[in-house]
Amino acid sequence: MHPGMEVEVAGLVLRSPLMVASGVLGSSPSLIRIIATNPDVGAVVTKTVTYLPRTGYENPTVVDLGYGFLNAMGLPNPGYSEYRFELGSVKKGLEIPLIVSIGPSDEDEAEEMVEELDSVADGFEVNLSCPHVENLGVEVGSDASKASGIVKAVRGSTGKPVLAKISPNVTDFVANARNAVEAGADAITAINTVRGMAIDVNAMRPVLSNVYGGLSGKAIHPVAVRIVFELYEKIKAPIVGCGGVYDWRDAVELILAGATAVQIGSAIAHSQTGLKVFNEIGEGVRRYLALKGFSSVKQIIGLAHSER
Amino acid sequence: MNASHYYLEATVASNISETSRVNTLVLRLSEELKIAPGQFLMVWRPGDGEIPITPSLTMGETLCLTIEKVGFTSSRLASLKPGEKVFLRGPYGNGFNLSLPGRYLLIGGGTGAASLTPSYLSLVRRGVETLFLVGARNRESLVYVRRLRELGAGFQVATDDGSEGFKGTLPEFFMEVSSRNRFENVLTIGPERMMVKIAEKCVEQGVSCQVSLVRIVRCGLGVCGSCVLDPLGLRVCVDGPVFHGEKILGSDFGRFMRDEAGRRVEVVQ
């Protein structure tokens, strides 16, 4: 273990500031268990689970752009009650916090889901920002009273940390983040994917069956840095940075912008070494801290703001 | 694949009916595609969906896909007419390791006979001693045997009802054949329960066995987790689709898969 890597987000002590982002590596309990053995992984956020099972969209659901992924999976998941059963088997003996990502469409669903999932979760991330599913995600997140109602319901149903994941696809993301914090979120995860689409020039048709999707990966990193930077100045809650972290510089950049922890998703798939990308990033962060004379990653959170 | 576009364009040159449920599309590609035996392609038809398929023949700009009508997308693809187009991305995954020393026994059940053909041709071309067993429920369900004859392939047939060749299942035929011959390597594609039986027998006999799995593949890139084999956490799309039998026996192999919602469901075949 590396004591200098430890951070605390909303009461969760993480052995590393690097977390697995929601949506990658799916709902498989065995993958979560394998991931958790990696000392550079501080927490795992599960795939978003909804009230009812969802089969998601017809393929194609993902486009590999090289500099990122465009996806419209349509939140396929087995529904919260079956997922709870699977997570129960994972939770036993898991060394790191398991953060369950939930996508309720209203407060009643939120309350029921969180009450049921509470025994298998160390915390919750409320997905207020999936850009490609009707009546869920960003459609909920951009309706201030609805979003607020859901976060309040989650808050009221658990004593565990609640993160709210916000969208970059809105005019005023600060207002959305503030709204979630006022409703009881302990931390903000920023950002979810950026709306986009791809057209195949041979087929002359949109590639994704849903036509529109969400862009993740390297391409959106500067967008994430900018949003984390601004949120750090405008809200009091801790921020979990997410968006295009492929190497240690990307991770440090988000932390300097104000993120307490950093989520990694697309890089796992784009890296030649798969999950070892966490070790490469972790080592890079440690080297950086040593070189700059810091003993803990906590010392550099938001440092990019100090000259202002 | 050419990085300047997402998909490679392919035009149907002919559509050969293999059985009432299986067709082979002969495709002309807009450019050559390099794919190793056992790797798969994601085959897309706008509006009809996209599914993973291991080709049944690859020769320069000609590619064959042998497709069983299982769901909506496969039924649509299997019904395409000459001149219609499909779009391909890939290749993905790890194919068969054909450079292990010794003799090879290939066992293809149903459309597995077709998907194993590129491996068979590659071995034979290199002068490796190879025996190919193909099987189905009955003579009418045999897939790809006409093409194999055209290719001059030496193969033996088993049918459950004995309407052609050996009477019995492929695992039974495998036991019969391996009691008379010694093989160092077995490659198999077919119904998963059949492959489990073959892999178990290979382990007993100390024979290397490679199997090819089918799962719901969405991204094909190892990101989405829809094709994971539990409890091993292996992703069929990037860690497979070909696995060494002994490494996955005892797992969900032959028992469980994930449906489109990610629910763990029983493997039916």
Side-chain angles (χ1 to χ4, degrees):
Chain A
M1 291 306 120
H2 305 279
M5 292 293 273
E6 192 178 285
V7 294
E8 195 186 319
V9 181
L12 286 176
V13 177
L14 311 181
R15 67 187 181 193
S16 158
L18 311 177
M19 304 164 58
V20 177
S22 178
V24 279
L25 303 181
S27 48
S28 158
S30 53
L31 276 176
I32 294 176
R33 236 180 273 123
I34 291 166
I35 291 164
T37 61
N38 186 325
D40 279 306
V41 176
V44 177
V45 186
T46 68
K47 182 159 185 51
T48 298
V49 64
T50 52
Y51 188 74
L52 293 174
R54 288 180 57 89
T55 52
Y57 299 132
E58 192 66 49
N59 271 353
T61 45
V62 181
V63 186
D64 185 358
L65 303 160
Y67 50 84
F69 292 103
L70 194 61
N71 93 82
M73 299 287 294
L75 293 180
N77 77 90
Y80 81 98
S81 71
E82 179 156 340
Y83 200 45
R84 184 185 74 100
F85 175 74
E86 291 227 34
L87 288 179
S89 70
V90 178
K91 190 69 193 78
K92 242 180 266 164
L94 200 73
E95 289 170 27
I96 56 173
L98 184 66
I99 297 169
V100 179
S101 171
I102 52 169
S105 60
D106 61 33
E107 353 185 327
D108 292 343
E109 284 187 8
E111 194 179 310
E112 204 176 315
M113 288 167 77
V114 171
E115 277 172 6
E116 278 282 306
L117 289 163
D118 203 46
S119 61
V120 296
D122 296 302
F124 291 92
E125 185 175 89
V126 190
N127 185 347
L128 297 172
S129 44
C130 176
H132 51 72
V133 176
E134 256 176 67
N135 301 321
L136 287 173
V138 73
E139 289 205 10
V140 166
S142 26
D143 177 336
S145 75
K146 199 157 197 186
S148 165
I150 286 175
V151 174
K152 272 183 193 149
V154 174
R155 173 75 293 155
S157 312
T158 180
K160 290 171 180 163
V162 176
L163 287 69
K165 188 165 182 177
I166 62 153
S167 173
N169 305 307
V170 293
T171 321
D172 196 349
F173 57 85
V174 174
N176 286 359
R178 210 173 257 149
N179 184 43
V181 173
E182 277 162 13
D186 301 296
I188 295 295
T189 303
I191 55 176
N192 207 317
T193 54
V194 178
R195 274 194 186 130
M197 80 177 275
I199 294 169
D200 186 80
V201 296
N202 288 322
M204 301 182 193
R205 293 282 295 276
V207 178
L208 296 170
S209 73
N210 185 57
V211 183
Y212 305 134
L215 178 63
S216 65
K218 237 183 185 349
I220 68 164
H221 182 66
V223 182
V225 174
R226 173 249 193 271
I227 290 180
V228 168
F229 192 88
E230 189 170 343
L231 286 178
Y232 187 78
E233 300 201 330
K234 302 210 167 134
I235 63 166
K236 290 223 158 57
I239 301 154
V240 176
C242 180
V245 174
Y246 276 50
D247 61 29
W248 67 266
R249 260 184 218 91
D250 300 328
V252 168
E253 213 180 336
L254 280 175
I255 298 168
L256 291 172
T260 303
V262 165
Q263 295 182 351
I264 298 169
S266 301
I268 301 170
H270 272 148
S271 157
Q272 294 299 312
T273 55
L275 285 167
K276 288 206 184 80
V277 72
F278 279 88
N279 309 104
E280 291 155 16
I281 295 175
E283 267 158 42
V285 172
R286 288 189 283 280
R287 269 199 311 273
Y288 172 83
L289 292 174
L291 189 71
K292 299 290 180 190
F294 295 103
S295 59
S296 163
V297 69
K298 290 175 196 162
Q299 295 166 324
I300 67 164
I301 297 169
L303 264 198
H305 297 263
S306 59
E307 297 298 307
R308 292 166 66 100
Chain B
M1 182 182 316
N2 188 335
S4 66
H5 50 70
Y6 306 126
Y7 287 82
L8 188 68
E9 184 177 278
T11 308
V12 178
S14 58
N15 181 342
I16 302 158
S17 168
E18 301 278 347
T19 72
S20 59
R21 286 175 56 80
V22 180
N23 288 55
T24 295
L25 297 180
V26 181
L27 302 174
R28 300 267 175 267
L29 308 180
S30 56
E31 59 189 86
E32 199 176 328
L33 178 75
K34 287 217 175 347
I35 175 165
Q39 284 190 303
F40 69 94
L41 298 168
M42 293 301 285
V43 183
W44 173 47
R45 173 108 180 130
D48 292 340
E50 180 194 51
I51 52 173
I53 303 178
T54 298
S56 49
L57 197 69
T58 53
M59 267 195 308
E61 279 151 27
T62 299
L63 180 93
C64 292
L65 302 174
T66 300
I67 303 165
E68 183 170 3
K69 298 168 187 165
V70 177
F72 175 75
T73 305
S74 56
S75 301
R76 296 284 298 163
L77 290 174
S79 311
L80 291 179
K81 295 184 174 55
E84 292 193 289
K85 290 185 191 307
V86 294
F87 300 89
L88 313 171
R89 63 181 171 106
Y92 293 119
N94 298 305
F96 288 104
N97 183 348
L98 303 178
S99 49
L100 296 170
R103 287 155 291 190
Y104 282 72
L105 179 64
L106 276 53
I107 308 172
T111 56
S115 330
L116 270 174
T117 297
S119 302
Y120 174 82
L121 294 175
S122 168
L123 288 163
V124 168
R125 234 174 263 139
R126 292 192 351 247
V128 178
E129 201 180 309
T130 308
L131 186 60
F132 195 179
L133 311 182
V134 305
R137 255 177 223 111
N138 50 43
R139 169 182 244 158
E140 290 69 42
S141 309
L142 282 167
V143 170
Y144 221 54
V145 289
R146 200 169 33 181
R147 172 56 62 106
L148 284 169
R149 283 194 191 106
E150 281 167 22
L151 291 165
F155 62 96
Q156 294 182 29
V157 173
T159 50
D160 294 357
D161 68 354
S163 51
E164 185 159 338
F166 176 86
K167 182 179 186 206
T169 64
L170 277 171
E172 286 161 3
F173 194 27
F174 166 52
M175 288 309 282
E176 212 267 322
V177 169
S178 60
S179 67
R180 289 182 279 112
N181 306 273
R182 175 83 193 151
F183 297 92
E184 284 72 33
N185 301 283
V186 168
L187 314 180
T188 179
I189 308 184
E192 223 164 294
R193 289 183 185 168
M194 174 202 97
M195 293 195 290
V196 167
K197 284 186 190 147
I198 290 167
E200 284 169 349
K201 289 186 171 128
C202 288
V203 168
E204 280 167 33
Q205 297 176 1
V207 174
S208 155
C209 177
Q210 299 176 54
V211 306
S212 175
L213 299 195
V214 175
R215 285 292 181 278
I216 290 175
V217 172
R218 282 180 190 272
C219 69
L221 308 162
V223 215
C224 74
S226 76
C227 64
V228 170
L229 189 68
D230 285 311
L232 302 169
L234 294 169
R235 294 159 296 172
V236 168
C237 72
V238 291
D239 300 316
V242 175
F243 295 98
H244 281 277
E246 75 273 11
K247 292 202 175 129
I248 58 170
L249 277 173
S251 72
D252 278 359
F253 170 40
R255 296 159 57 213
F256 293 100
M257 57 179 289
R258 301 227 165 229
D259 71 4
E260 283 174 329
R263 285 176 289 224
R264 199 157 165 258
V265 292
E266 274 188 53
V267 166
V268 286
Q269 274 197 307

